[in-house]
Amino acid sequence: MEKMTKNLDRVCFSGFSIRVKLEMPNLLGKFGEIVGCLNRYGCEIVSSSLLKVSTDKVIRELEIICLEERQREQIIKVLKELKDIKVLKVIDKTFELHEGGKIEIVNRVQIKDQNTLAEVYTPGVAKVCLYLKDHPEEVYRYTIKGHTIAVITDGSAVLGLGNIGPLASLPVMEGKCMLFKEFAGLDAFPLAVNTQDVDEFVEVVKQVSLVFGGINLEDISAPRCFEIEKRLWEELEVPVVHDDQHGTAIVVLAGLINVERLLGKSLRDMKIVISGAGASAIGTARLLLKYGVKNLILCDSYGAIYQGRKERMNPYKEEIASLTNPERLKGTLSEVLAGADIFIGLSAPNILKPEDLKAMAQDRVVFALANPDPEISPEIALPLVRVLATGRSDYPNQINNALAFPGLFKGLLEAKAKKVDEEVFIEAAKAIAYVIKKEELKEDYIIPSMFDKRVVKAVAQAVVKKLTKPSKSLN
């Protein structure tokens, strides 16, 4: 069996980096003592600035990268205990970066004189308002609607943090808005809605939707997210995408399309097992079924989901049970994984063992996407699989939603779409996959980088093409 390249050089995560201002004696070797201490604890100094020098004292500022929160706390404690060293200030770089928020509104037209003021505001603006009253379709041309997305959450399922509420979710929503701007040139605004009642949430989104060309639902817990999206799809004339479902599904499918191309096999002929039954897992399952996958099994913490199961079911699990697991297999994840070609983990860390992978079919493919800790350690999985993907940026083949949603929404806005469906998602997945040429594909390169500028353009073009075909238009 060919093996994926074992290149696991890790990328330091700066989310735990600090800047420390230290006062120390002006003695030869004192700074080296500090460097040696930090090295012993596995930390890395990425910069050092000399702020003040006198005959007897020196003040330095060090930027230090730690690998985790516990290590950061430990190193601060150690520095404070060093003889003749005074810790003057500790700055958490992540908090510093978020200070004041991460986004702002910037005027696209400069108000440089009285004439410009009269044109952008009263009296000139009245002319545009009256025109839009009679020509509402031109709102995409003459307002922000044509390039603006709402990123909306209730804070009920934020990253891996759980139900932390709408206020605490704002830094994440701001970050999402930054990605829209950075990768697709779209403006996005975060809206944290202070209710977790489905009816109230739907009504709020409906009332504010007029301003936006697209609605990105974010970090809403299952199964409420399914009902919210379904109702908004039916009741709004603006595309609504729950990114936790469909962004994940699109990028997973893109990776699997390239697995097809790499291995010369069809997904329709493979046995695929998904661990998880939340928003991303069910969204991925639905898209794979739409693509044509036949032998698909979902597992939750109670084991395989099958038609007729009674334990821990809900209407959405029952629906997916009626469409998957054609042989109605029962048992644990380990049991149903036997003989599978592909494993997709959208669940919890460290639930797979090496023997589970060994029981899979030859040329086994593992997408271990739980974050930050995957379903099985990549170092353990890599020697046992043909292709490995994770959700992390410090390993090859990162399955990242940011490959999908910027180009998807850019295409939706360019097409002035009022609806979106799974056929559009499949075209987006194909566009991501085919950014990589057949001759470039290899085990550790089945998905392009989110920084590959070709991705957004390819996805947007595919979406526009799909939506503007006369017989297939969703407008």
Side-chain angles (χ1 to χ4, degrees):
M1 180 189 296
E2 292 183 42
K3 295 295 192 298
M4 187 173 162
T5 304
K6 297 176 179 58
N7 178 15
L8 288 182
D9 292 338
R10 302 294 297 277
V11 177
C12 287
F13 171 51
S14 61
F16 300 109
S17 65
I18 52 175
R19 286 195 290 113
V20 183
K21 190 180 292 187
L22 303 173
E23 182 182 272
M24 65 192 74
N26 190 357
L27 296 174
L28 188 66
K30 200 66 183 177
F31 180 54
E33 179 184 332
I34 293 171
V35 173
C37 174
L38 292 172
N39 286 339
R40 285 195 299 275
Y41 283 90
C43 296
E44 180 181 353
I45 299 176
V46 293
S47 69
S48 171
S49 302
L50 195 60
L51 302 182
K52 188 176 180 181
V53 181
S54 65
T55 55
D56 59 339
K57 292 194 180 296
V58 171
I59 296 178
R60 285 182 178 271
E61 185 176 83
L62 308 181
E63 183 176 340
I64 305 167
I65 290 182
C66 304
L67 296 178
E68 58 183 2
E69 180 75 29
R70 183 174 57 181
Q71 186 185 40
R72 178 172 61 184
E73 292 173 355
Q74 184 182 42
I75 203 64
I76 293 171
K77 181 175 181 292
V78 168
L79 287 172
K80 288 180 177 179
E81 292 173 349
L82 286 176
K83 185 180 179 181
D84 298 329
I85 302 296
K86 184 184 291 186
V87 178
L88 302 178
K89 193 172 186 179
V90 178
I91 300 170
D92 185 306
K93 284 197 67 185
T94 300
F95 274 89
E96 184 180 44
L97 184 146
H98 283 76
E99 210 167 300
K102 304 188 294 292
I103 60 175
E104 64 180 352
I105 294 174
V106 177
N107 290 344
R108 301 182 79 192
V109 176
Q110 186 180 358
I111 303 175
K112 55 188 178 181
D113 53 34
Q114 188 68 36
N115 286 336
T116 309
L117 177 62
E119 289 176 330
V120 302
Y121 198 51
T122 185
V125 73
K127 178 167 56 176
V128 182
C129 294
L130 292 174
Y131 178 77
L132 291 179
K133 178 176 177 294
D134 296 327
H135 303 88
E137 71 282 356
E138 292 278 43
V139 70
Y140 286 89
R141 181 178 180 184
Y142 292 112
T143 74
I144 65 172
K145 188 179 182 78
H147 56 85
T148 307
I149 304 297
V151 179
I152 306 182
T153 189
D154 64 2
S156 60
V158 181
L159 299 179
L161 306 175
N163 188 357
I164 62 174
L167 188 63
S169 76
L170 270 176
V172 179
M173 301 309 117
E174 287 185 12
K176 187 67 174 283
C177 294
M178 292 176 72
L179 298 182
F180 273 114
K181 189 68 173 180
E182 183 70 25
F183 294 115
L186 298 176
D187 294 305
F189 194 84
L191 295 174
V193 179
N194 193 24
T195 180
Q196 293 185 4
D197 177 84
V198 170
D199 292 332
E200 290 181 358
F201 187 89
V202 168
E203 188 59 30
V204 169
V205 177
K206 287 170 63 178
Q207 292 301 327
V208 303
S209 64
L210 199 65
V211 180
F212 303 100
I215 304 293
N216 183 117
L217 300 177
E218 192 79 14
D219 291 350
I220 302 170
S221 62
R224 295 163 52 257
C225 60
F226 302 121
E227 182 180 353
I228 287 171
E229 187 190 56
K230 181 175 183 294
R231 286 180 54 181
L232 291 173
W233 276 24
E234 293 170 350
E235 298 175 33
L236 282 182
E237 288 201 344
V238 62
V240 178
V241 178
H242 181 213
D243 189 52
D244 300 305
Q245 288 185 68
H246 308 302
T248 301
I250 289 168
V251 184
V252 168
L253 177 56
L256 292 180
I257 288 170
N258 278 341
V259 166
E260 286 185 306
R261 297 169 68 203
L262 179 68
L263 302 184
K265 299 179 181 179
S266 171
L267 292 179
R268 294 164 178 82
D269 300 325
M270 297 188 200
K271 178 183 177 183
I272 301 176
V273 176
I274 296 178
S275 174
S280 57
I282 289 181
T284 298
R286 286 172 172 167
L287 194 62
L288 292 179
L289 291 169
K290 184 72 175 178
Y291 185 73
V293 169
K294 302 298 182 185
N295 191 359
L296 177 63
I297 303 169
L298 275 77
C299 295
D300 61 11
S301 56
Y302 277 70
I305 295 173
Y306 56 89
Q307 198 166 17
R309 199 184 89 168
K310 302 299 182 185
E311 299 84 8
R312 295 293 294 270
M313 296 294 281
N314 60 44
Y316 303 98
K317 288 184 184 180
E318 289 171 359
E319 178 191 10
I320 206 69
S322 69
L323 302 171
T324 59
N325 198 350
E327 299 177 11
R328 296 194 183 182
L329 296 180
K330 302 177 184 180
T332 65
L333 171 63
S334 296
E335 290 170 336
V336 299
L337 194 57
D341 299 282
I342 297 172
F343 168 81
I344 302 171
L346 293 161
S347 52
N350 303 314
I351 60 171
L352 286 184
K353 299 176 181 178
E355 48 266 34
D356 296 325
L357 302 188
K358 292 176 183 177
M360 293 174 66
Q362 193 177 15
D363 286 338
R364 54 190 73 103
V365 175
V366 171
F367 282 25
L369 306 182
N371 247 335
D373 299 315
E375 284 79 2
I376 186 168
S377 165
E379 286 83 359
I380 294 173
L382 194 58
L384 304 174
V385 303
R386 177 74 181 271
V387 177
L388 175 71
T390 73
R392 297 179 53 139
S393 60
D394 50 355
Y395 293 103
N397 295 333
Q398 184 191 17
I399 304 298
N400 191 319
N401 289 18
L403 282 162
F405 66 79
L408 174 65
F409 275 98
K410 187 175 181 67
L412 291 171
L413 265 62
E414 287 180 4
K416 300 181 177 62
K418 294 182 171 62
K419 302 288 181 183
V420 66
D421 64 12
E422 287 170 336
E423 291 188 4
V424 175
F425 299 152
I426 288 174
E427 294 306 310
K430 290 178 180 177
I432 295 169
Y434 280 87
V435 163
I436 303 177
K437 298 176 181 178
K438 179 69 182 294
E439 60 271 19
E440 296 175 325
L441 284 172
K442 51 186 178 178
E443 281 77 1
D444 59 359
Y445 186 45
I446 55 138
I447 203 77
S449 165
M450 60 182 284
F451 294 100
D452 190 327
K453 295 183 182 299
R454 298 173 297 170
V455 173
V456 168
K457 183 178 179 180
V459 173
Q461 288 177 343
V463 170
V464 170
K465 183 177 179 181
K466 180 67 177 176
L467 291 171
T468 53
K469 285 183 179 179
S471 59
K472 295 290 185 180
S473 175
L474 295 177
N475 289 315

